[in-house]
Amino acid sequence: MLFNPTFELSTEAINPIRATDALRVEIEQFLFREARLLDTRQFDGWLDLWVPDGMYWMPHEPDQTNPRDHISLFWEDATLREVRVRRITNPRNWSQQPVTRTARVVGNVMIDGTDRDGRLIVHSTFTLTEWRNGQRQLAGLITHKLEKQEGDGWKIYLKRVDLVNAADVFANLEVFV
């Protein structure tokens, strides 16, 4: 999937929708649950939130339209997400001694509509406090493209994280943002 040129990256809503209160609450709860799974290091539960061909993308440039034509901080398919989870949860991983702890706040949730394939496009903002031998703050915009799965609720097709300082120099970004 990393090199699939047909993967649908656009985050613009083609079909606007009028989000009901029920849909808005359902989507907000999904995003809050995702944040809770990450903050409590329930990574297997977080991995279960994804469609099999879903992609996690953190662009390096603010207006980057493609992960293949420019370097990205992250461009991960299911295999790479799984590898990272196994690495950061391995008790012998020296870079997780002590374990990274996080707390994030998700807000400004906006359901914009659907893409050409009917996936829901949701924009939100976040702040993340991370601690491991010191504390740092990260913040930015997140775009989720979500698919409704029969009997399984919402699943993530694309998660794009645009850090406000993406072009900065970072210490290792070990955990998922």
Side-chain angles (χ1 to χ4, degrees):
M1 286 308 304
L2 288 176
F3 304 108
N4 179 357
T6 63
F7 187 86
E8 177 51 47
L9 290 165
S10 72
T11 56
E12 296 297 319
I14 302 296
N15 304 306
I17 63 168
R18 175 164 271 173
T20 64
D21 289 341
L23 177 61
R24 193 173 349 271
V25 167
E26 186 178 350
I27 295 304
E28 287 174 348
Q29 290 300 305
F30 179 86
L31 298 181
F32 299 157
R33 179 171 169 250
E34 180 193 17
R36 169 74 59 87
L37 289 170
L38 289 170
D39 287 342
T40 57
R41 298 177 63 87
Q42 296 178 53
F43 296 117
D44 288 330
W46 181 73
L47 291 172
D48 289 341
L49 296 179
W50 293 80
V51 298
D53 58 342
M55 297 298 293
Y56 176 72
W57 182 24
M58 189 181 297
H60 184 265
E61 298 297 322
D63 297 322
Q64 191 172 333
T65 59
N66 187 319
R68 293 174 285 278
D69 296 340
H70 194 285
I71 193 159
S72 296
L73 298 173
F74 295 113
W75 175 243
E76 296 181 350
D77 62 3
T79 300
L80 289 176
R81 288 190 305 271
E82 173 81 21
V83 165
R84 183 146 48 125
V85 163
R86 297 303 155 233
R87 182 176 44 77
I88 63 178
T89 58
N90 186 318
R92 296 178 59 161
N93 179 357
W94 66 267
S95 69
Q96 284 298 291
Q97 305 299 324
V99 169
T100 301
R101 295 189 317 206
T102 61
R104 64 196 80 217
V105 176
V106 176
N108 299 340
V109 178
M110 302 272 309
I111 300 170
D112 285 353
T114 61
D115 68 6
R116 68 173 184 229
D117 297 316
R119 293 181 193 98
L120 201 60
I121 297 177
V122 180
H123 295 281
S124 61
T125 58
F126 77 97
T127 60
L128 169 69
T129 301
E130 177 186 74
W131 177 87
R132 193 188 88 70
N133 291 332
Q135 186 166 302
R136 74 172 160 184
Q137 296 290 132
L138 299 171
L141 308 172
I142 296 180
T143 304
H144 283 84
K145 288 178 77 163
L146 303 175
E147 291 184 4
K148 186 74 165 180
Q149 304 288 308
E150 291 254 349
D152 216 9
W154 294 99
K155 296 284 185 173
I156 303 169
Y157 174 79
L158 172 69
K159 180 177 180 179
R160 176 183 172 141
V161 179
D162 288 282
L163 293 176
V164 295
N165 61 334
D168 205 351
V169 176
F170 290 100
N172 290 350
L173 291 168
E174 292 229 14
V175 296
F176 297 95
V177 178

